[in-house]
Amino acid sequence: DLDTQISKNFIACGYPNPVQAESVRSLRSILSGPGGSTVMTTVQKFQEAGGIVTGGRRARTVEHPVLTEASNVFVLTDEAHRTQYGSLAANLRRALPNAVFFAFTGTPIDKGDRSTLSTFGPYIDRYTIEQAVADGATLPILYESRMVDLH
């Protein structure tokens, strides 16, 4: 559903011909092929297709392949605070080693090994709640203060 939503948003904004990766195999084919496409996907499609390989006694995970070494690949990551610190994000970066990564998040984090700024670099721009309210994009947060008499 999220893949479809992302593609529909790009189309609604007049962006020409976004390509929706329908599966892990489809994503790998698109990214390994000729460039020039705007590919819509989710980080979940950067899973290991082969899973765990057993060779003797020890099991190991399959290393994600490099899909393109092109340097004109731009990755736009929404909700970057959620999914950019685990194995899927590591696979994404391995698959696209020379890509430029941009992050969008309303809640950047900085907790130990999970840091939005360390992962993506410094802020390019900030759009604050106050700006969003002034623009009419967000409703103001209203709260009511009440005094309670405990006697």
Side-chain angles (χ1 to χ4, degrees):
D1 290 344
L2 185 56
D3 278 341
T4 301
Q5 176 187 344
I6 294 166
S7 296
K8 284 181 178 180
N9 284 343
F10 270 69
I11 292 167
C13 292
Y15 203 88
N17 305 319
V19 177
Q20 183 177 346
E22 301 286 338
S23 65
V24 172
R25 180 174 287 155
S26 166
L27 176 68
R28 289 182 179 193
S29 174
I30 293 166
L31 292 178
S32 297
S37 298
T38 300
V39 181
M40 306 295 159
T41 191
T42 59
V43 73
Q44 288 76 16
K45 289 202 179 83
F46 286 91
Q47 61 188 285
E48 285 95 1
I52 295 178
V53 174
T54 57
R57 297 179 183 198
R58 297 177 69 180
R60 65 176 174 83
T61 59
V62 176
E63 189 172 82
H64 198 283
V66 173
L67 299 177
T68 181
E69 292 186 357
S71 60
N72 63 344
V73 174
F74 299 89
V75 177
L76 307 179
T77 303
D78 193 17
E79 300 288 343
H81 60 280
R82 292 186 182 197
T83 59
Q84 294 304 303
Y85 310 102
S87 63
L88 295 176
N91 289 347
L92 166 63
R93 288 176 182 271
R94 174 154 171 69
L96 310 171
N98 299 313
V100 177
F101 289 81
F102 293 92
F104 300 92
T105 182
T107 53
I109 59 173
D110 190 14
K111 296 180 180 178
D113 63 343
R114 294 177 178 230
S115 170
T116 306
L117 290 174
S118 293
T119 302
F120 290 97
Y123 293 113
I124 294 173
D125 191 41
R126 293 183 189 184
Y127 185 64
T128 66
I129 293 286
E130 293 79 13
Q131 289 171 303
V133 170
D135 291 346
T138 301
L139 295 174
I141 299 170
L142 302 175
Y143 63 93
E144 186 176 320
S145 176
R146 295 184 188 185
M147 295 293 292
V148 178
D149 184 0
L150 299 177
H151 298 300

